[in-house]
Amino acid sequence: MSAHITAGLFVLAFAIVSPVTAAAQFPPGSGAGKPQTDAELRGEAFFVKTCILCHGPTTGQARVLKLGITDLIGFAKRPGVTEDYLRQRILEGVPGRMPGYKYTYTPAELDNLIAYLKIR
Ligand code: HEC
């Protein structure tokens, strides 16, 4: 096997394994609040699937890349952060930095996500 192919396989293996290890390092429920209601639990699963990639606890990678992205833990409890603000951010995103999800989620999915963010 040439060194080229070996290196390619290594990169491929890393690409497959790294999202899994990231999820294992930051298990759901490692935030401040513990989801209990059905909506919170569904919202958490959704968050882990969709948002944690960027809004996970700051990883070595995020630090190296200087992404400076909030982990959103306790975010909804900050003074001035309203439910409307959260919905707006999720629907519209942050231009150039975060995708908007207004064509992606059902209203019920969004409600669950908001329920989870409130206790995160
Ligand atoms: C591609 C990366 C990415 C994904 C995926 C992403 N975000 Fe973001 N988000 C960002 C960036 C970058 C910002 C702006 C910097 C910051 O405030 O952390 C941001 C900002 C926010 C803010 C505003 C924070 C503030 O300080 O005002 C909220 C709320 C938010 N995101 C929620 C979510 C939720 C909920 C999801 C999942 C549905 C999500 N984001 C998915 C990258 C992402």
Short mmCIF file of all heavy atoms in Angstrom, two decimals, residues 46-47 49-55 67-72 75 78 81 85-87 89-90 93-94 96-99 101 105 110 113-114 117, ligand 1:
data_model
loop_
_atom_site.label_atom_id
_atom_site.label_comp_id
_atom_site.label_asym_id
_atom_site.label_seq_id
_atom_site.Cartn_x
_atom_site.Cartn_y
_atom_site.Cartn_z
N PHE A 46 -32.64 17.36 19.87
CA PHE A 46 -32.55 18.20 18.69
C PHE A 46 -31.30 19.09 18.74
O PHE A 46 -30.59 19.24 17.75
CB PHE A 46 -33.80 19.08 18.65
CG PHE A 46 -34.18 19.45 17.27
CD1 PHE A 46 -34.90 18.58 16.49
CD2 PHE A 46 -33.81 20.67 16.75
CE1 PHE A 46 -35.24 18.91 15.19
CE2 PHE A 46 -34.14 21.02 15.47
CZ PHE A 46 -34.86 20.14 14.69
N PHE A 47 -31.06 19.65 19.91
CA PHE A 47 -29.90 20.52 20.09
C PHE A 47 -28.61 19.74 19.85
O PHE A 47 -27.70 20.22 19.16
CB PHE A 47 -29.90 21.09 21.52
CG PHE A 47 -28.84 22.13 21.75
CD1 PHE A 47 -29.09 23.47 21.48
CD2 PHE A 47 -27.58 21.77 22.23
CE1 PHE A 47 -28.10 24.42 21.67
CE2 PHE A 47 -26.59 22.73 22.42
CZ PHE A 47 -26.86 24.06 22.15
N LYS A 49 -28.25 17.16 18.05
CA LYS A 49 -28.14 16.80 16.63
C LYS A 49 -27.74 18.01 15.77
O LYS A 49 -26.98 17.88 14.83
CB LYS A 49 -29.49 16.25 16.17
CG LYS A 49 -29.42 15.49 14.86
CD LYS A 49 -30.75 14.84 14.54
CE LYS A 49 -31.75 15.91 14.11
NZ LYS A 49 -33.00 15.35 13.63
N THR A 50 -28.27 19.17 16.10
CA THR A 50 -28.18 20.30 15.18
C THR A 50 -27.25 21.43 15.62
O THR A 50 -26.58 22.02 14.80
CB THR A 50 -29.59 20.92 14.98
OG1 THR A 50 -30.51 19.87 14.81
CG2 THR A 50 -29.62 21.83 13.78
N CYS A 51 -27.25 21.73 16.90
CA CYS A 51 -26.59 22.97 17.35
C CYS A 51 -25.25 22.71 18.02
O CYS A 51 -24.39 23.59 18.04
CB CYS A 51 -27.49 23.71 18.33
SG CYS A 51 -29.24 23.68 17.91
N ILE A 52 -25.08 21.51 18.60
CA ILE A 52 -23.91 21.28 19.46
C ILE A 52 -22.61 21.37 18.67
O ILE A 52 -21.56 21.71 19.22
CB ILE A 52 -24.02 19.93 20.20
CG1 ILE A 52 -23.18 19.94 21.47
CG2 ILE A 52 -23.62 18.76 19.30
CD1 ILE A 52 -23.97 19.70 22.70
N LEU A 53 -22.71 21.10 17.37
CA LEU A 53 -21.53 21.20 16.51
C LEU A 53 -20.84 22.55 16.70
O LEU A 53 -19.62 22.63 16.81
CB LEU A 53 -21.99 21.05 15.05
CG LEU A 53 -20.91 20.91 14.01
CD1 LEU A 53 -20.21 19.56 14.17
CD2 LEU A 53 -21.52 21.01 12.62
N CYS A 54 -21.62 23.60 16.74
CA CYS A 54 -21.07 24.94 16.93
C CYS A 54 -21.18 25.41 18.38
O CYS A 54 -20.30 26.10 18.89
CB CYS A 54 -21.78 25.94 16.03
SG CYS A 54 -21.48 25.66 14.28
N HIS A 55 -22.29 25.05 19.06
CA HIS A 55 -22.53 25.59 20.40
C HIS A 55 -22.21 24.60 21.50
O HIS A 55 -22.82 24.65 22.57
CB HIS A 55 -23.98 26.06 20.52
CG HIS A 55 -24.29 27.27 19.69
ND1 HIS A 55 -23.81 28.53 20.00
CD2 HIS A 55 -25.01 27.41 18.57
CE1 HIS A 55 -24.24 29.39 19.08
NE2 HIS A 55 -24.97 28.74 18.20
N LEU A 67 -13.01 30.45 17.28
CA LEU A 67 -14.39 30.62 16.83
C LEU A 67 -15.18 31.54 17.76
O LEU A 67 -16.06 32.25 17.31
CB LEU A 67 -15.09 29.26 16.72
CG LEU A 67 -14.51 28.31 15.67
CD1 LEU A 67 -15.27 27.01 15.65
CD2 LEU A 67 -14.55 28.95 14.29
N GLY A 68 -14.88 31.49 19.05
CA GLY A 68 -15.55 32.38 19.99
C GLY A 68 -17.06 32.25 19.96
O GLY A 68 -17.79 33.23 19.84
N ILE A 69 -17.55 31.02 20.05
CA ILE A 69 -18.99 30.79 20.00
C ILE A 69 -19.49 30.38 21.39
O ILE A 69 -18.89 29.54 22.03
CB ILE A 69 -19.34 29.69 18.97
CG1 ILE A 69 -18.88 30.14 17.58
CG2 ILE A 69 -20.82 29.40 18.98
CD1 ILE A 69 -19.11 29.10 16.50
N THR A 70 -20.58 31.00 21.81
CA THR A 70 -21.13 30.68 23.12
C THR A 70 -21.64 29.25 23.18
O THR A 70 -22.16 28.73 22.18
CB THR A 70 -22.27 31.65 23.49
OG1 THR A 70 -22.93 31.14 24.66
CG2 THR A 70 -23.31 31.77 22.39
N ASP A 71 -21.53 28.60 24.35
CA ASP A 71 -22.08 27.25 24.49
C ASP A 71 -23.55 27.30 24.88
O ASP A 71 -24.18 26.26 25.05
CB ASP A 71 -21.26 26.42 25.49
CG ASP A 71 -21.22 27.02 26.87
OD1 ASP A 71 -22.03 27.93 27.17
OD2 ASP A 71 -20.36 26.60 27.67
N LEU A 72 -24.07 28.52 25.03
CA LEU A 72 -25.50 28.75 25.31
C LEU A 72 -25.95 28.18 26.66
O LEU A 72 -27.13 28.12 26.94
CB LEU A 72 -26.40 28.20 24.19
CG LEU A 72 -26.26 28.91 22.82
CD1 LEU A 72 -27.07 28.17 21.75
CD2 LEU A 72 -26.71 30.37 22.90
N PHE A 75 -27.73 30.68 28.92
CA PHE A 75 -27.92 31.85 28.07
C PHE A 75 -29.33 32.44 28.19
O PHE A 75 -29.50 33.65 28.33
CB PHE A 75 -27.64 31.48 26.61
CG PHE A 75 -27.73 32.64 25.66
CD1 PHE A 75 -26.71 33.56 25.57
CD2 PHE A 75 -28.85 32.81 24.86
CE1 PHE A 75 -26.79 34.64 24.70
CE2 PHE A 75 -28.95 33.89 23.98
CZ PHE A 75 -27.92 34.80 23.91
N ARG A 78 -30.12 34.81 31.05
CA ARG A 78 -29.48 36.12 31.17
C ARG A 78 -30.50 37.23 31.06
O ARG A 78 -31.47 37.11 30.29
CB ARG A 78 -28.46 36.31 30.05
CG ARG A 78 -27.21 35.51 30.25
CD ARG A 78 -26.17 35.98 29.27
NE ARG A 78 -25.24 34.91 28.99
CZ ARG A 78 -24.39 34.90 27.96
NH1 ARG A 78 -24.38 35.90 27.11
NH2 ARG A 78 -23.57 33.90 27.79
N VAL A 81 -32.49 38.48 27.68
CA VAL A 81 -32.65 37.45 26.66
C VAL A 81 -34.08 36.91 26.74
O VAL A 81 -34.46 36.27 27.71
CB VAL A 81 -31.64 36.29 26.84
CG1 VAL A 81 -31.94 35.17 25.84
CG2 VAL A 81 -30.22 36.79 26.65
N TYR A 85 -36.23 36.67 21.30
CA TYR A 85 -34.87 36.82 20.81
C TYR A 85 -34.31 35.47 20.37
O TYR A 85 -33.71 35.35 19.29
CB TYR A 85 -33.97 37.44 21.89
CG TYR A 85 -32.53 37.55 21.45
CD1 TYR A 85 -32.14 38.55 20.56
CD2 TYR A 85 -31.57 36.64 21.89
CE1 TYR A 85 -30.82 38.63 20.12
CE2 TYR A 85 -30.25 36.73 21.47
CZ TYR A 85 -29.88 37.72 20.58
OH TYR A 85 -28.58 37.80 20.15
N LEU A 86 -34.54 34.44 21.19
CA LEU A 86 -34.06 33.10 20.84
C LEU A 86 -34.67 32.62 19.53
O LEU A 86 -33.97 32.14 18.64
CB LEU A 86 -34.41 32.11 21.96
CG LEU A 86 -33.70 32.32 23.30
CD1 LEU A 86 -34.26 31.37 24.34
CD2 LEU A 86 -32.20 32.12 23.17
N ARG A 87 -35.99 32.78 19.41
CA ARG A 87 -36.67 32.35 18.19
C ARG A 87 -36.11 33.07 16.97
O ARG A 87 -35.86 32.48 15.93
CB ARG A 87 -38.17 32.64 18.28
CG ARG A 87 -38.91 31.62 19.09
CD ARG A 87 -40.40 31.92 19.12
NE ARG A 87 -41.02 31.12 20.14
CZ ARG A 87 -41.41 29.87 19.97
NH1 ARG A 87 -41.28 29.30 18.80
NH2 ARG A 87 -41.93 29.19 20.96
N ARG A 89 -33.17 34.46 16.55
CA ARG A 89 -31.81 34.00 16.21
C ARG A 89 -31.86 32.67 15.46
O ARG A 89 -31.18 32.47 14.48
CB ARG A 89 -30.94 33.84 17.45
CG ARG A 89 -30.41 35.11 18.05
CD ARG A 89 -29.18 35.66 17.33
NE ARG A 89 -29.48 36.22 16.03
CZ ARG A 89 -30.05 37.39 15.81
NH1 ARG A 89 -30.37 38.17 16.80
NH2 ARG A 89 -30.31 37.80 14.60
N ILE A 90 -32.70 31.75 15.96
CA ILE A 90 -32.76 30.42 15.35
C ILE A 90 -33.35 30.52 13.94
O ILE A 90 -32.87 29.89 13.01
CB ILE A 90 -33.57 29.45 16.24
CG1 ILE A 90 -32.85 29.25 17.57
CG2 ILE A 90 -33.76 28.12 15.54
CD1 ILE A 90 -33.70 28.63 18.65
N GLY A 93 -30.77 33.17 12.02
CA GLY A 93 -29.34 32.91 12.08
C GLY A 93 -28.56 34.20 12.37
O GLY A 93 -29.14 35.20 12.78
N VAL A 94 -27.27 34.13 12.18
CA VAL A 94 -26.41 35.29 12.34
C VAL A 94 -25.67 35.45 11.02
O VAL A 94 -24.91 34.57 10.65
CB VAL A 94 -25.40 35.09 13.51
CG1 VAL A 94 -24.49 36.29 13.66
CG2 VAL A 94 -26.13 34.78 14.82
N GLY A 96 -23.57 35.43 7.99
CA GLY A 96 -22.18 35.07 7.79
C GLY A 96 -21.58 34.15 8.83
O GLY A 96 -20.46 33.68 8.68
N ARG A 97 -22.34 33.88 9.91
CA ARG A 97 -21.76 33.07 10.98
C ARG A 97 -22.60 31.86 11.35
O ARG A 97 -22.09 30.81 11.66
CB ARG A 97 -21.54 33.93 12.24
CG ARG A 97 -20.64 35.14 12.01
CD ARG A 97 -20.01 35.59 13.30
NE ARG A 97 -19.02 34.63 13.75
CZ ARG A 97 -18.56 34.57 15.00
NH1 ARG A 97 -19.01 35.39 15.90
NH2 ARG A 97 -17.66 33.67 15.32
N MET A 98 -23.91 32.05 11.38
CA MET A 98 -24.79 30.95 11.76
C MET A 98 -25.93 30.86 10.75
O MET A 98 -26.50 31.88 10.40
CB MET A 98 -25.36 31.20 13.16
CG MET A 98 -26.45 30.22 13.55
SD MET A 98 -27.05 30.55 15.22
CE MET A 98 -28.70 29.84 15.09
N PRO A 99 -26.22 29.63 10.29
CA PRO A 99 -27.32 29.49 9.33
C PRO A 99 -28.66 29.77 9.98
O PRO A 99 -28.84 29.52 11.17
CB PRO A 99 -27.22 28.02 8.90
CG PRO A 99 -26.51 27.32 10.01
CD PRO A 99 -25.61 28.34 10.65
N TYR A 101 -32.72 28.90 10.31
CA TYR A 101 -33.41 27.63 10.16
C TYR A 101 -34.89 27.81 9.84
O TYR A 101 -35.70 26.95 10.14
CB TYR A 101 -33.24 26.80 11.43
CG TYR A 101 -31.82 26.34 11.66
CD1 TYR A 101 -30.95 27.05 12.48
CD2 TYR A 101 -31.35 25.18 11.05
CE1 TYR A 101 -29.65 26.63 12.68
CE2 TYR A 101 -30.06 24.74 11.26
CZ TYR A 101 -29.20 25.47 12.07
OH TYR A 101 -27.92 25.04 12.27
N TYR A 105 -37.34 23.88 10.34
CA TYR A 105 -38.01 23.28 11.48
C TYR A 105 -39.52 23.44 11.44
O TYR A 105 -40.03 24.45 10.98
CB TYR A 105 -37.53 23.93 12.78
CG TYR A 105 -36.07 23.75 13.06
CD1 TYR A 105 -35.42 24.55 13.97
CD2 TYR A 105 -35.35 22.75 12.41
CE1 TYR A 105 -34.09 24.38 14.23
CE2 TYR A 105 -34.02 22.58 12.67
CZ TYR A 105 -33.39 23.40 13.58
OH TYR A 105 -32.08 23.23 13.84
N LEU A 110 -39.41 23.69 16.96
CA LEU A 110 -38.88 24.95 17.48
C LEU A 110 -39.31 25.15 18.94
O LEU A 110 -38.51 25.55 19.78
CB LEU A 110 -39.39 26.10 16.60
CG LEU A 110 -38.70 27.44 16.80
CD1 LEU A 110 -37.21 27.34 16.53
CD2 LEU A 110 -39.32 28.49 15.89
N LEU A 113 -37.20 23.01 21.14
CA LEU A 113 -35.84 23.56 21.22
C LEU A 113 -35.81 24.74 22.21
O LEU A 113 -34.90 24.85 23.04
CB LEU A 113 -35.41 24.01 19.83
CG LEU A 113 -33.97 24.38 19.61
CD1 LEU A 113 -33.03 23.28 20.08
CD2 LEU A 113 -33.73 24.65 18.12
N ILE A 114 -36.81 25.61 22.12
CA ILE A 114 -36.89 26.75 23.03
C ILE A 114 -37.04 26.26 24.48
O ILE A 114 -36.39 26.76 25.39
CB ILE A 114 -38.08 27.68 22.67
CG1 ILE A 114 -37.91 28.25 21.25
CG2 ILE A 114 -38.25 28.78 23.70
CD1 ILE A 114 -36.88 29.33 21.11
N LEU A 117 -33.65 25.19 25.55
CA LEU A 117 -32.71 26.31 25.74
C LEU A 117 -32.97 27.03 27.06
O LEU A 117 -32.05 27.50 27.71
CB LEU A 117 -32.81 27.30 24.57
CG LEU A 117 -32.20 26.84 23.24
CD1 LEU A 117 -32.45 27.87 22.15
CD2 LEU A 117 -30.70 26.58 23.38
C1 HEC B 1 -22.51 26.64 11.84
C2 HEC B 1 -22.38 26.93 13.24
C3 HEC B 1 -23.66 27.15 14.02
C4 HEC B 1 -24.75 26.31 14.16
C5 HEC B 1 -24.96 24.93 13.54
C6 HEC B 1 -25.65 26.97 15.07
N1 HEC B 1 -25.12 28.18 15.46
FE1 HEC B 1 -26.00 29.50 16.74
N2 HEC B 1 -24.46 30.82 16.42
C7 HEC B 1 -23.34 30.56 15.68
C8 HEC B 1 -22.48 31.73 15.71
C9 HEC B 1 -21.12 31.83 15.04
C10 HEC B 1 -23.13 32.69 16.50
C11 HEC B 1 -22.63 34.10 16.84
C12 HEC B 1 -21.57 34.04 17.90
C13 HEC B 1 -22.13 33.68 19.22
O1 HEC B 1 -22.90 34.48 19.76
O2 HEC B 1 -21.80 32.61 19.74
C14 HEC B 1 -24.38 32.09 16.94
C15 HEC B 1 -25.30 32.72 17.76
C16 HEC B 1 -26.43 32.11 18.30
C17 HEC B 1 -27.33 32.71 19.27
C18 HEC B 1 -27.22 34.16 19.78
C19 HEC B 1 -26.16 34.22 20.85
C20 HEC B 1 -25.97 35.66 21.36
O3 HEC B 1 -24.94 35.88 22.03
O4 HEC B 1 -26.80 36.52 21.10
C21 HEC B 1 -28.27 31.78 19.58
C22 HEC B 1 -29.44 31.93 20.56
C23 HEC B 1 -27.96 30.59 18.82
N3 HEC B 1 -26.84 30.82 18.06
C24 HEC B 1 -28.69 29.41 18.87
C25 HEC B 1 -28.47 28.32 18.04
C26 HEC B 1 -29.30 27.13 18.04
C27 HEC B 1 -30.49 26.90 18.96
C28 HEC B 1 -28.80 26.30 17.06
C29 HEC B 1 -29.34 24.97 16.61
C30 HEC B 1 -30.66 25.01 16.08
C31 HEC B 1 -27.65 26.98 16.49
N4 HEC B 1 -27.48 28.19 17.11
C32 HEC B 1 -26.85 26.43 15.48
C33 HEC B 1 -23.06 29.41 14.99
C34 HEC B 1 -23.92 28.32 14.84
#
